[in-house]
């Protein structure tokens, strides 16, 4: 599970898939995979979480 902290309401919670609104896959210069998850908090504010991919 992925833990997020909302910047607006300062609520810390687990990120369920129902809150994810977008997913982007990125490569850094070292060739490592990172995922950018876009989500909407329970309070209605959108956010982004950067997650490292498998190594």
């Amino acid at each position: 599970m992925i833990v997020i902290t909302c910047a607006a309401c300062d609520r810390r919670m687990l990120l369920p898939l129902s809150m994810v609104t977008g997913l982007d896959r990125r490569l850094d210069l070292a060739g490592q995979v990172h995922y950018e998850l876009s989500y909407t908090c329970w309070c209605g504010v959108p956010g982004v979480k950067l997650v490292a991919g498998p190594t």
Side-chain angles (χ1 to χ4, degrees):
M1 293 295 276
I2 298 170
V3 177
I4 60 167
T5 302
C6 179
C9 67
D10 203 32
R11 183 184 301 181
R12 185 175 176 172
M13 64 190 132
L14 294 174
L15 181 64
L17 287 178
S18 62
M19 291 173 62
V20 175
T21 57
L23 174 66
D24 289 327
R25 182 176 183 255
R26 308 204 181 211
L27 289 174
D28 64 11
L29 294 176
Q32 296 219 350
V33 177
H34 297 277
Y35 295 96
E36 187 177 277
L37 296 167
S38 302
Y39 63 89
T40 302
C41 178
W42 296 109
C43 68
V45 175
V48 174
K49 173 82 175 188
L50 190 63
V51 181
T55 56

